[in-house]
Amino acid sequence: MHGYVLGPVSAEGGGGGKVFGTSRAAALFALLVTSPDCRCTREEIAEAIWPGNERAAELVDRAISDLRKQLGREIVPQGRSGYCALRVPEAAVDLLRFRDAVAKADGLSHPERFERLGVALEEWDGGEPLRGLTGSGFQLRREALRAELMAAVYARLDAAWKSRKAKWLREETEKWYERAPRLPQIFRFYLLAHDDLPERRREQLIDGWTRHNGDPDPDLQAAIDLVRGVSQRPGGTLLPPVPNQLPGSGRRPIGQDQLIRELADAVCAQQDAGNLALVLISGMAGVGKTTVAHAIARLLRERFPDGVLRAELNGFAGGDVRPAEPDEILDGFLAALPPYTTVTGTESRSNALRSALAHRSMLIVLDDALNAPQVLPLLPGDGTCAVIITSRNDLLRLQSERKVLFRKMEPLCEADALEVLQEEVSLKDRQTYDRPFRELVDLCGRLPLALTVVAQLLAKGARPLRTISALVREMKEERAKLDALDLPEDELSVRAALNCSVRVLGEEARLLLWQFALHPGPTASWEAVMDLGRVAGEGARTDRALAELVAANLVELKGDRYQLHDLVRAFARHHVRPGPNGERGDFERETVRQVLEHQLHNVRACDQVLDHERTLPIGEPDGVTVLDPVEPVQAMTYLDEEYDAVQRGIRLAVDRSIERYEWLLPMALVTYQWRRNRLDDALTNLRYAVDAAESAAAPVDCAMVHRMLAGTQWRLGRYEAAVGHLRRAVRLNEEDHSAKGRLSLARTLHRLGITLRKQENWADAEGVLCQALELCRAVTDPVGEAAALNALGALHHDRGEHEQALRRCADALVAVERTVERSGLADVLFTLAKVHLSRSERAEAIALYRQACDIYREQGNWPYEVKARRLFADVLVSAGETGNAVRELERVIVLRERMGGEGVREVRELLEGLR
């Protein structure tokens, strides 16, 4: 059966019979369920439902009969004379389920009790129990049920408060306060949940409540005292003031709810275990450490009955403010903790503090710590106190000496950063200026301090919202960005905050920071940073300087890559002196050269694994660390990680007109770009490279740049432009009659031949390819010979000359097998597969396609692998191997998504048709 009494009364028996509303059977059911053991005497039934009615005994009999008829004899059995009872499982009636869940909540931990009471209260819709039933008997039972339900509500609010479910408690108390503002317990939890109310508003609410309701009960008074920071003995005698040194509520810590909850829970777990909880929150300047620390402290305040101590350590204060000495802080803490002491000396004061805290449960907030020696004397010994420390430094010594709950704060995600900027902005304006707001988020590096400055600029009217696009343009210039993020009148300045972090660095760390700012970024490897340090000369301890910067949160370590926040980079470039006398000049040029030299030699080392045949006039490495990749996968993985940095390195070389790197870096990178389908980047880089090579490189090298540029245009389908660059390369090659010049001419002619083939100019293509083949054989270039033969085979295939195509490809296989060139082998196998397929030799084609696909994958050549697998899938479908075709197409989708997503939809539709 199913029964309900916590709202409108109803019950349904197993046979489908029902009682509901205000019928006499429903009234009897409600009366029995709300009675002890679900049993009443006939006199109790008559008195409750029909008081004073002479026919009450008859009416009771009829009600029992009706109830038994609807619910069945198992539920309403024939009882002994004078009684009526229900036999119902606890799970069958809402009131019984509610009481069972409440009973099970007793003795559980606060979070578990909160959940269990939530299950209990799900049985109640919040309205009147026994709804619709009248009479004094039901009114008394209704009031008892309401009190029982509200007791569960209060217990759940209490569990939520003690479990630090701040958001839920805030929302729930707002609902209850609107419904029942005069209930003392509701008002109590409303005050606790809204402890960030402005003082004036809070006192208005308290005064209004006491005017209407009289003096608060002890629980409510305790809550009032807590939010006011006052404490009393039960008898009313004032205790020595309980310290509550937290400042008033400041800015809401947007985007940090999870961090706050995690750390608060960790503190409570340590306290419940009888241990000291020591929390360290570090992060770069302006990331919001203090705001988070105060939010955690407010959330935990009730857990520490002996109060809250707070000290500003001024570790990174601006102006002439010096870091606080431990003695100063100890004097302040001891003055707030009776029995008061007058001991002197740091060690004695520190011992006195530990003694004073030994039997207290206090929360201590130490904000803006400089280093571990400043903090260690201020810490309690064992016990149930907790300490929350904030610092721009990771305080590694503290972490090595004490058990620390350590969290490093990061800039906000985009959504939270937008919320900081747009808190006071209307929905209409958010939509109107969506793009510039997002650009500002990027320009601020999602740093809360920078976002707050911009929000202040817009909120105060210093910058009308319609000028937001102008602000974006202004902030795109580094120096202007730091000027815009400076509001000294509001003590909000990114530049000042970063200056406070930098000025405490050692000389080597400060120098390395400035050098790192010259690195184009966005990230750098360990080896790249160590090579920067070599510019400073022998004896430089770059590893220690880097460790200092990481610990100071001025350099971030992400995986095994190092990076600077954009605002740190801008500050270091313009406001950090590189040495004791601030010299730049030659030192800056040498640093830039070292960055680019490191990139050039390492990219070239990878390129040599990807393309064994191309030589670049780079020379031997001098003063830089060069990796030694063995397999293509190692080379491609390294370049995947370094790609953005190298791209920025090329821009740096172009901006500074350093010709060596303007053309050599793009040339060393282009094979990787072809294999990762980064053709637009390659085209841009090689256009710069051509200009630099025309003035700085030998004709044969200049021809090589034109050839690579033509190869990029060819991959983009721009064959006419490719032919133009190849004609120029031929002329340059013809100026050099050396073996190197002839080899270069052979490769240029091969490229010209395959381009003419793409234009279906088959006659000219064949002539040019035959010239290339002859030259390759003359200079003993088996790789070029194989490529020319393969191109001729493809040309014969285009013309339907399958026998000639097979002969050319067979010769190409013989030539390529004399080399270690795997990419060339894959090209020949791919052409052979197409020829065999055209000859209806499907089994041979399948085997060749599979080999070619495997080699392209091994070489990391995504575009060619996609092309081969796409054709291979069609062959597999025609052979009835649908499952294998599906696997090939799934790989095609993965690669196309990595290359930008072009063509994915078409392949997905094909896949759907196969599955």
Side-chain angles (χ1 to χ4, degrees), residues 113 150-162 166 168-174 176-177 183-195 219-220 223-224 227 302:
R113 189 159 58 94
M150 289 306 298
V153 170
Y154 300 150
R156 193 173 191 223
L157 292 174
D158 181 70
W161 170 246
K162 291 174 179 174
W168 182 91
L169 189 66
R170 194 179 186 94
E171 294 172 353
E172 194 71 8
T173 54
E174 284 173 356
W176 275 108
Y177 185 66
L183 292 176
Q185 289 282 54
I186 296 299
F187 187 52
R188 171 196 173 204
F189 286 109
Y190 181 83
L191 287 178
L192 293 174
H194 294 75
D195 66 341
D219 286 343
L220 176 54
I224 293 171
V227 297
E302 191 187 55

Side-chain angles (χ1 to χ4, degrees), residues 8-31:
V9 176
S10 67
E12 181 177 352
K18 297 180 181 179
V19 298
F20 56 88
T22 59
S23 67
R24 60 191 176 192
L28 176 58
F29 174 77
L31 186 67

Side-chain angles (χ1 to χ4, degrees), residues 296-587:
I296 296 170
R298 282 193 293 273
L299 195 58
L300 293 172
R301 187 163 48 189
E302 191 187 55
R303 297 272 305 203
F304 297 91
D306 295 311
V308 182
L309 298 173
R310 178 185 177 277
E312 175 58 64
L313 302 186
N314 297 323
F316 298 88
D320 297 327
V321 179
R322 59 176 178 77
E325 294 294 335
D327 279 352
E328 302 171 41
I329 307 303
L330 287 167
D331 284 344
F333 284 178
L334 290 171
L337 298 173
Y340 307 109
T341 180
T342 58
V343 297
T344 59
T346 304
E347 186 174 353
S348 296
R349 288 185 176 98
S350 183
N351 289 334
L353 177 66
R354 283 194 290 273
S355 297
L357 295 174
H359 301 292
R360 286 182 166 94
S361 184
M362 296 194 77
L363 177 62
I364 302 173
V365 180
L366 302 175
D367 195 25
D368 195 25
L370 175 63
N371 52 33
Q374 189 188 31
V375 169
L376 287 168
L378 310 178
L379 302 181
D382 296 330
T384 58
C385 292
V387 184
I388 303 173
I389 305 163
T390 72
S391 179
R392 299 184 193 181
N393 195 292
D394 289 349
L395 305 186
L396 298 178
R397 179 183 162 189
L398 174 67
Q399 293 191 56
S400 70
E401 294 188 14
R402 302 294 292 265
K403 181 181 178 182
V404 174
L405 301 167
F406 174 64
R407 294 293 186 278
K408 187 189 292 278
M409 288 184 60
E410 305 284 350
L412 301 173
C413 68
E414 185 185 42
D416 292 329
L418 276 171
E419 187 177 349
V420 174
L421 273 186
Q422 298 176 339
E423 264 191 305
E424 306 299 326
V425 177
S426 68
L427 179 60
K428 179 181 178 182
D429 284 338
R430 291 185 186 193
Q431 295 170 342
T432 301
Y433 300 108
D434 179 70
R435 181 174 177 179
F437 269 123
R438 292 182 185 277
E439 289 182 297
L440 285 175
V441 163
D442 289 338
L443 289 166
C444 291
R446 296 175 282 111
L447 185 70
L449 174 59
L451 296 164
T452 301
V453 172
V454 173
Q456 283 284 89
L457 281 173
L458 298 174
K460 292 170 60 176
R463 300 289 300 240
L465 198 54
R466 58 183 168 78
T467 70
I468 188 171
S469 295
L471 180 60
V472 169
R473 290 193 297 272
E474 177 184 332
M475 288 181 62
K476 285 182 177 178
E477 198 281 313
E478 273 190 347
R479 193 182 292 271
K481 180 194 295 188
L482 293 172
D483 289 340
L485 297 176
D486 183 41
L487 289 179
E489 67 275 13
D490 293 328
E491 297 185 355
L492 292 172
S493 172
V494 171
R495 183 165 51 213
L498 291 173
N499 185 57
C500 294
S501 291
V502 171
R503 70 180 186 178
V504 301
L505 294 174
E507 184 178 320
E508 284 195 34
R510 191 162 56 251
L511 172 60
L512 184 61
L513 178 65
W514 176 78
Q515 288 182 291
F516 204 163
L518 293 179
H519 188 284
T523 66
S525 65
W526 164 268
E527 292 80 8
V529 180
M530 293 303 103
D531 280 353
L532 280 178
R534 296 188 182 194
V535 180
E538 294 294 329
R541 292 304 306 268
T542 309
D543 53 347
R544 290 187 179 181
L546 180 59
E548 183 178 348
L549 291 173
V550 171
N553 287 295
L554 287 165
V555 170
E556 300 173 80
L557 177 59
K558 299 286 189 180
D560 61 353
R561 308 281 298 177
Y562 297 88
Q563 68 183 49
L564 288 181
H565 189 279
D566 286 346
L567 294 176
V568 175
R569 184 184 301 278
F571 177 82
R573 280 179 178 170
H574 299 290
H575 299 285
V576 175
R577 293 178 175 271
N581 300 315
E583 309 96 340
R584 294 198 179 189
D586 292 342
F587 192 72

Side-chain angles (χ1 to χ4, degrees), residues 713-913:
Q713 297 279 23
W714 185 86
R715 284 166 170 79
L716 288 165
R718 302 170 186 173
Y719 304 122
E720 195 63 38
V723 168
H725 284 290
L726 291 168
R727 300 287 189 200
R728 170 64 176 156
V730 168
R731 291 193 295 272
L732 288 166
N733 286 142
E734 288 173 342
E735 297 177 19
D736 189 331
H737 301 290
S738 67
K740 181 178 178 181
R742 294 169 69 203
L743 176 60
S744 180
L745 177 59
R747 291 175 179 174
T748 303
L749 290 172
H750 166 257
R751 176 62 61 186
L752 179 58
I754 64 175
T755 306
L756 292 171
R757 176 193 161 226
K758 283 290 186 180
Q759 293 179 308
E760 297 186 356
N761 185 351
W762 292 336
D764 287 349
E766 185 173 15
V768 170
L769 287 170
C770 286
Q771 283 182 266
L773 177 60
E774 185 179 337
L775 273 171
C776 288
R777 285 171 171 168
V779 296
T780 317
D781 175 23
V783 172
E785 180 184 349
L789 286 166
N790 182 59
L792 285 166
L795 185 60
H796 287 304
H797 174 264
D798 293 341
R799 296 193 298 211
E801 301 163 355
H802 299 149
E803 289 300 327
Q804 295 95 317
L806 277 180
R807 284 196 297 272
R808 289 292 194 182
C809 289
D811 291 343
L813 267 183
V814 172
V816 81
E817 285 171 354
R818 302 201 309 265
T819 75
V820 294
E821 183 53 55
R822 299 278 289 167
S823 291
L825 174 60
D827 293 341
V828 176
L829 294 172
F830 180 63
T831 304
L832 266 175
K834 291 194 294 182
V835 175
H836 279 290
L837 188 64
S838 297
R839 289 163 55 90
S840 300
E841 296 163 350
R842 193 162 53 196
E844 291 86 346
I846 287 175
L848 290 164
Y849 270 128
R850 183 170 285 117
Q851 291 179 65
C853 290
D854 290 346
I855 295 174
Y856 285 137
R857 181 169 189 167
E858 160 205 305
Q859 297 291 309
N861 195 335
W862 291 349
Y864 280 30
E865 185 185 347
V866 163
K867 179 181 176 182
R869 289 190 189 278
R870 178 65 186 81
L871 294 174
F872 186 25
D874 287 343
V875 179
L876 290 169
V877 170
S878 69
E881 297 184 30
T882 305
N884 289 332
V886 166
R887 283 191 288 275
E888 296 300 321
L889 292 173
E890 288 172 342
R891 172 68 178 167
V892 169
I893 288 175
V894 169
L895 292 177
R896 285 192 172 179
E897 286 178 339
R898 290 177 182 174
M899 294 189 296
E902 184 178 353
V904 168
R905 181 177 178 182
E906 168 204 339
V907 181
R908 287 192 190 282
E909 290 174 355
L910 183 58
L911 264 177
E912 291 302 316

Side-chain angles (χ1 to χ4, degrees), residues 1-13 16-31 49 63 66-71 130-134 138:
M1 68 156 287
H2 302 288
Y4 305 92
V5 296
L6 296 181
V9 176
S10 67
E12 181 177 352
K18 297 180 181 179
V19 298
F20 56 88
T22 59
S23 67
R24 60 191 176 192
L28 176 58
F29 174 77
L31 186 67
I49 303 178
D66 288 347
L67 188 60
R68 183 177 292 123
K69 180 179 179 181
Q70 296 300 326
L71 300 186
L130 306 177
R131 204 171 305 161
L133 297 181
T134 59
F138 284 115

